[in-house]
Amino acid sequence: MKKYFIFCSFITFLHAQDVSLSELQTSASEHSHRLKLRSIDTSIEQARLESVYSTLYPQLSLGYSGEYNRNLDSTTSGSISVGDTTINSSVPYEHSVALRLNYELYHFGTTLKQIEMSQKEIASKKLEVCNETTKLYQEILDHYLQAQKAQSEHTYKSRMHTLRQELYTLKQRLYTAGKESRVSVGDEAIRLIDLERDIERSRMSYEENLIALSKLSHVDLDLITTRLLPLDIPSEEVRLSRFEENSQARQYQEKIAQKQAEISLNQRTQFPVISFYSNYYLYGSDRNKAYDALNDIRPNSWNAGVAIRWSLFEGFKYNNEAARLHLELDRLREEYALAEREFDAQSQTRQEHLNRLAMLTKNETEALAETHHKIIMTQRLRAQGEADAVSEVTVKLEGLERELTLDTEMIQHAYEAEALKLQHRGVEECKRQ
């Protein structure tokens, strides 16, 4: 087992692939399918806005009809109007071409409100890209933390395994010499087995988190040779921003503004629509041949006018729609308030973690320094014959355990600082990514 760990460490050292958190995040920004989907959603809304702009222009259409009439009533002749339908009862073959123009002159700003709603939706979708990026970065950071802890645990416990193996051998010799009990040797064997199990578990955890990082970042990470670089512990306090500056808050603000525009639009739909229309007709007919009727087509008439359309009653549809929209606005405002409270609570929690971890790291550093002095003193005592090899190895094991604890706390400290920076990532910083 000892030779296996030495061989793996040697191979890893020769072919180590150093990877940093920023490299993984950058690659994820460029290749993540989740972010691409959000960008496509934004493009869809931009295309939808262009279709809304088209309603500002007049509508022009061209229509043609070719018709055959057979008069079943020989006593009637000429044209008969039945509602909106005109029946020509005397000429069998008729052809007509109509050029129609329609333009909405005034509808109390409903089209402009539709444009405003689309613009707010586009802004919201862009901010959704920012929010999704932050979530993705946080997922990568979480797996990076677990992988770093597993990497550190594997490194230190592999070194501890060497010392434990040495301690086990020493106790076996002492047992043979009658200076150590069988129980003590058995306990050391159990500790050695437990340590090997911990090493294997840390390796499994490292590989699992490395696979997750590879999936999220689209970077091929070798499970054997990849080595994650440590996170930087900030030398100064993380700049904290207000919730209003956060991309999540800005997205809620855009959604609230969009809902307010929708409420205004619903109100404006209750007012009349004033439209301008014009038609230009070409008409041809013949009693005997359809082809001659087609050749007979010539300008016939044109008209122009202004139309007013006002829906007076729609079965209380407006009242129900208005109530729904106001409830949706109330829901958005509650979601905004809830998100703000969660944001503040999470910020406070992470700040407390940073303060406590800074204190723990300081205390553990002092304890480790004392342990190193203890190792030096034990080595001197052993050189003078006043301490045995078992005591020296035991003190070294204590030193490695303290180093592992300190390294874990430093990793956690750097993680909390990075997570706090991500949480307070402003909109402008997000757009620069």
Side-chain angles (χ1 to χ4, degrees):
M1 179 66 75
K2 180 178 179 180
K3 291 181 180 180
Y4 171 75
F5 286 125
I6 294 175
F7 176 74
C8 288
S9 300
F10 179 69
I11 294 297
T12 303
F13 176 76
L14 288 179
H15 303 282
Q17 176 190 3
D18 292 343
V19 178
S20 67
L21 176 67
S22 60
E23 290 174 348
L24 297 177
Q25 291 177 338
T26 300
S27 178
S29 296
E30 294 174 355
H31 302 99
S32 173
H33 298 297
R34 287 158 53 179
L35 298 183
K36 289 179 180 179
L37 286 173
R38 296 295 180 271
S39 297
I40 291 173
D41 289 342
T42 303
S43 299
I44 291 172
E45 292 303 325
Q46 288 171 336
R48 186 171 290 143
L49 175 60
E50 294 300 321
S51 67
V52 177
Y53 274 122
S54 66
T55 59
L56 294 173
Y57 298 96
Q59 298 175 5
L60 187 65
S61 62
L62 180 66
Y64 161 80
S65 67
E67 187 175 282
Y68 172 76
N69 268 322
R70 181 174 178 83
N71 190 3
L72 300 178
D73 187 355
S74 59
T75 62
T76 61
S77 62
S79 298
I80 302 173
S81 294
V82 182
D84 295 334
T85 303
T86 300
I87 302 173
N88 191 300
S89 58
S90 60
V91 183
Y93 300 102
E94 297 177 326
H95 296 275
S96 64
V97 177
L99 185 64
R100 296 182 176 88
L101 172 68
N102 191 74
Y103 183 52
E104 186 177 292
L105 295 175
Y106 190 64
H107 194 189
F108 295 88
T110 55
T111 302
L112 296 179
K113 283 298 176 182
Q114 288 175 345
I115 292 173
E116 181 183 350
M117 287 172 54
S118 294
Q119 290 173 337
K120 294 297 182 184
E121 183 65 21
I122 291 171
S124 177
K125 292 297 183 183
K126 288 181 178 179
L127 289 166
E128 181 63 30
V129 177
C130 290
N131 291 335
E132 193 64 40
T133 302
T134 301
K135 291 178 185 177
L136 179 61
Y137 283 6
Q138 184 62 50
E139 285 186 47
I140 292 174
L141 180 61
D142 291 342
H143 287 291
Y144 200 91
L145 166 71
Q146 298 303 323
Q148 270 201 316
K149 285 184 174 181
Q151 178 179 259
S152 176
E153 183 178 358
H154 185 273
T155 300
Y156 281 103
K157 289 197 172 182
S158 294
R159 292 167 60 187
M160 291 165 64
H161 182 273
T162 302
L163 291 175
R164 281 286 175 195
Q165 186 69 50
E166 183 180 348
L167 188 59
Y168 175 71
T169 302
L170 287 172
K171 287 192 175 183
Q172 276 188 319
R173 292 174 182 172
L174 290 173
Y175 170 72
T176 303
K179 296 181 179 181
E180 194 73 44
S181 68
R182 179 61 184 169
V183 174
S184 178
V185 176
D187 289 342
E188 199 58 48
I190 292 173
R191 292 190 189 99
L192 192 60
I193 294 171
D194 289 341
L195 191 58
E196 291 174 355
R197 182 190 59 196
D198 291 344
I199 291 171
E200 184 59 31
R201 284 180 176 174
S202 66
R203 186 66 202 178
M204 288 173 58
S205 175
Y206 182 72
E207 290 177 354
E208 288 172 0
N209 285 283
L210 217 59
I211 291 171
L213 286 172
S214 181
K215 174 187 172 185
L216 291 170
S217 65
H218 294 259
V219 176
D220 292 330
L221 301 175
D222 188 272
L223 299 181
I224 302 298
T225 61
T226 299
R227 183 174 58 191
L228 301 179
L229 296 177
L231 297 172
D232 295 329
I233 297 178
S235 56
E236 55 186 18
E237 291 186 2
V238 178
R239 177 188 171 276
L240 302 182
S241 59
R242 297 180 302 167
F243 177 69
E244 291 79 7
E245 301 173 9
N246 186 270
S247 60
Q248 184 185 14
R250 289 286 296 276
Q251 186 181 15
Y252 273 117
Q253 292 167 6
E254 294 293 346
K255 286 183 176 180
I256 290 172
Q258 182 187 12
K259 190 59 63 177
Q260 290 171 335
E262 190 176 356
I263 290 173
S264 178
L265 172 64
N266 187 53
Q267 292 171 344
R268 293 166 190 264
T269 57
Q270 301 307 299
F271 297 105
V273 182
I274 303 173
S275 303
F276 170 79
Y277 67 90
S278 180
N279 297 283
Y280 186 78
Y281 297 104
L282 295 93
Y283 177 79
S285 63
D286 191 90
R287 291 181 177 277
N288 302 310
K289 294 182 180 180
Y291 182 76
D292 290 341
L294 188 62
N295 288 332
D296 190 53
I297 289 180
R298 58 177 54 87
N300 179 269
S301 64
W302 68 272
N303 61 15
V306 175
I308 299 178
R309 187 180 69 254
W310 194 353
S311 179
L312 298 178
F313 181 69
E314 297 179 349
F316 304 105
K317 177 182 177 182
Y318 166 74
N319 295 336
N320 296 331
E321 189 71 9
R324 179 185 66 82
L325 292 173
H326 279 92
L327 288 172
E328 289 178 352
L329 179 61
D330 291 341
R331 177 181 176 82
L332 284 172
R333 285 171 174 164
E334 287 298 323
E335 288 179 359
Y336 181 90
L338 176 61
E340 184 175 15
R341 288 184 64 84
E342 290 177 347
F343 179 88
D344 293 338
Q346 195 173 30
S347 296
Q348 185 177 0
T349 301
R350 284 195 168 129
Q351 284 181 295
E352 287 296 323
H353 284 172
L354 282 172
N355 294 335
R356 291 182 180 276
L357 285 167
M359 183 63 67
L360 288 172
T361 301
K362 179 182 177 182
N363 294 339
E364 198 62 40
T365 302
E366 293 174 355
L368 180 60
E370 291 297 325
T371 304
H372 284 163
H373 291 311
K374 186 177 179 181
I375 292 172
I376 294 173
M377 291 299 298
T378 304
Q379 289 174 335
R380 289 177 181 175
L381 291 172
R382 187 186 176 194
Q384 297 171 3
E386 298 179 8
D388 55 15
V390 172
S391 299
E392 182 181 358
V393 174
T394 302
V395 174
K396 287 181 179 179
L397 280 170
E398 181 184 344
L400 285 177
E401 288 174 354
R402 290 198 176 278
E403 285 182 26
L404 174 58
T405 302
L406 177 60
D407 196 42
T408 302
E409 289 174 353
M410 291 178 68
I411 291 171
Q412 187 68 37
H413 188 193
Y415 163 82
E416 293 293 345
E418 190 67 29
L420 193 60
K421 284 168 58 180
L422 267 180
Q423 184 187 358
H424 289 265
R425 191 163 170 257
V427 176
E428 296 302 321
E429 182 181 354
C430 174
K431 290 179 179 178
R432 286 196 298 267
Q433 294 292 333

